Amino acid sequence: MFLFISGNRPKQYTKQELKYACQWFAKHLINKRLRDKICVDIILSDKLVKEDKCYGLCSPEDFAYRHKFFSIHIDSTISKRMMLRTICHELVHVSQYAKARLKNTRNWDKVKWEGKIVSVKYEKRANDEEGCIYFSNGYEPWEVEARDLEDKFFRKYKRVHGSVAYEI
């Protein structure tokens, strides 16, 4: 996986630690053949929680059937524990998009999940220059899966690397 990290450096850890964690989670979530074709740009911002009311966001940046280019925005002010969980959660979405299990549609309130069009219920969370920013309610099957895998692999990461060394 080609990985780029930019933006505000988190105070709790180095970008090298962050890069290692990203590669570790990707190795456990995405098969090698697919992982070798994916490019992820992680953008750290200290405004995501304050302005968008979320820890992280994932979006495909190309128009391919099976996406290969992604950006992940993560709030740099959250704790190391929450940062690692958020990275894992957003990489689950990268996997879902890369495998074409999750696809955006032309309608902002619909996505394609495992071949079926699904309506997404959005709630207003913040305003930007163009109007309102809406987020799903979190009960969609791709979000449920992301939370389940986030929990599973975060626990595994913690077991492998120890909570003392990584202050998790």
Side-chain angles (χ1 to χ4, degrees), residues 47-54 56-57 73 108 121-137:
K47 295 177 171 54
L48 209 56
V49 169
K50 191 181 347 177
E51 293 179 2
D52 295 341
K53 312 287 189 270
C54 65
L57 299 167
H73 294 258
W108 66 273
K121 294 177 177 63
Y122 287 96
E123 59 185 57
K124 181 180 174 184
R125 295 244 187 112
N127 289 314
D128 68 0
E129 307 82 41
E130 299 165 8
C132 300
I133 297 175
Y134 291 86
F135 291 88
S136 67
N137 61 22

Side-chain angles (χ1 to χ4, degrees), residues 64-79:
Y65 176 75
R66 292 180 190 270
H67 299 288
K68 302 290 185 280
F69 297 92
F70 301 90
S71 64
I72 295 177
H73 294 258
I74 297 179
D75 194 290
S76 61
T77 65
I78 60 179
S79 70

